[in-house]
Amino acid sequence: MITLNSAVFSVRYVSASIKNSDDAVLRQKIKESINLDSQSIFFLNESKIIQTISQAVPEVKVLKLERKFPDKLIIHAVKRARVCYIKFDNIFYIISEDLTVIDIVNYRPQNLSELIIQDELDMDAAKKGFELKTRESTKKDIINLFDCIKNIGEEYFGLIQKIGFNRMTSDIYLKTLSGVTIHISYIDRLQEKVQIAFSLYNHSPLYRADGIISAYLDKDGALKASYRKGEIEF
């Protein structure tokens, strides 16, 4: 025990690696967010270190802590994408793809879609570096939606003005900047529904100007997409 706590194994060097970004400033912020001087590399409180980094640098998600004996710690992280925002009491909460609050501002963010969740959502408890507080099933469904959009191309997030999710009916609404609203009924086979809806969206300027694109399964379980005039409020 004396050997493990000796000065030889005290953390002297901390470095940060961001898997999807070469942001030197962000790496420096990660390093400066923790103070591990004189702490033994064997007895680090990893969960506390990760929580400290998350609160201080919410732009990143820590993937793992790597010990390099005798005295070096490497923090492996990934940069979170700013996917959307939630407006609550004239405050705007910028949200990542894993529903973590990246930033809180008092002005409407530019080039981000607004997320409207029709479910219990505790925005009074929303803090930078923490996930939104809502039902686990709701989190799972929205994160799955973000993954489905990302899988067909991250540029599609830039086409969306507003995202609506209704837990009670399992309906998803994507209001696009061009005017049409994509309505996805139920969350089963969601990737296919997102794919076919945007395929119809891209098919003709007629389907992008206004109206509603619906993606659904018919009574025989066949995947369908259709277009009609009209509006959906959510």
Side-chain angles (χ1 to χ4, degrees):
M1 184 63 71
I2 293 172
T3 301
L4 296 180
N5 278 304
S6 70
V8 174
F9 296 106
S10 294
V11 178
R12 289 186 174 87
Y13 307 101
V14 177
S15 64
S17 171
I18 304 176
K19 183 177 181 181
N20 59 343
S21 174
D22 189 27
D23 191 328
V25 173
L26 202 53
R27 292 200 304 271
Q28 187 63 29
K29 285 176 66 177
I30 296 172
K31 290 167 57 179
E32 293 175 352
S33 67
I34 54 174
N35 182 9
L36 300 177
D37 290 345
S38 76
Q39 291 191 37
S40 170
I41 198 168
F42 291 103
F43 301 114
L44 295 175
N45 187 332
E46 292 197 8
S47 60
K48 185 177 180 181
I49 292 171
I50 292 171
Q51 182 179 5
T52 299
I53 295 171
S54 295
Q55 290 181 256
V57 196
E59 303 98 315
V60 301
K61 177 180 180 179
V62 178
L63 300 175
K64 68 175 182 177
L65 303 180
E66 180 185 1
R67 293 170 170 85
K68 288 285 189 179
F69 296 103
D71 55 5
K72 184 176 182 180
L73 179 69
I74 304 173
I75 301 164
H76 294 273
V78 62
K79 187 174 182 179
R80 289 186 167 110
R82 297 178 174 229
V83 172
C84 58
Y85 69 87
I86 291 177
K87 181 183 178 183
F88 179 75
D89 281 352
N90 291 319
I91 300 296
F92 301 87
Y93 299 79
I94 299 175
I95 309 299
S96 71
E97 70 273 24
D98 61 357
L99 293 190
T100 296
V101 179
I102 295 179
D103 203 0
I104 302 173
V105 296
N106 58 7
Y107 56 86
R108 188 178 299 276
Q110 299 296 313
N111 303 319
L112 286 179
S113 56
E114 181 178 5
L115 175 62
I116 299 174
I117 302 176
Q118 296 180 18
D119 193 9
E120 296 175 5
L121 191 61
D122 187 2
M123 294 306 297
D124 289 325
K127 296 179 181 178
K128 288 198 287 186
F130 290 86
E131 287 186 1
L132 291 176
K133 290 187 178 297
T134 187
R135 300 172 196 266
E136 288 301 319
S137 60
T138 296
K139 287 182 188 178
K140 180 181 177 181
D141 291 339
I142 295 175
I143 290 172
N144 184 29
L145 171 64
F146 291 162
D147 285 342
C148 290
I149 297 173
K150 186 177 179 179
N151 288 339
I152 65 170
E154 292 192 16
E155 66 273 14
Y156 281 91
F157 283 109
L159 304 177
I160 302 170
Q161 180 184 56
K162 188 186 297 185
I163 300 170
F165 175 78
N166 188 320
R167 184 189 68 85
M168 296 298 293
T169 62
S170 294
D171 284 313
I172 293 170
Y173 305 97
L174 307 175
K175 176 71 174 180
T176 67
L177 291 170
S178 63
V180 71
T181 297
I182 293 173
H183 172 214
I184 298 174
S185 298
Y186 303 107
I187 56 175
D188 54 328
R189 296 175 62 181
L190 185 58
Q191 183 67 72
E192 295 173 87
K193 289 176 181 176
V194 170
Q195 180 75 52
I196 197 173
F198 276 105
S199 294
L200 188 57
Y201 174 90
N202 291 325
H203 182 71
S204 168
L206 174 66
Y207 301 146
R208 295 194 290 271
D210 57 19
I212 302 164
I213 291 175
S214 296
Y216 57 96
L217 300 178
D218 68 14
K219 60 183 178 62
D220 297 319
L223 183 67
K224 296 290 183 65
S226 63
Y227 171 83
R228 71 181 189 274
K229 291 290 186 180
E231 293 184 7
I232 297 178
E233 295 295 331
F234 60 94

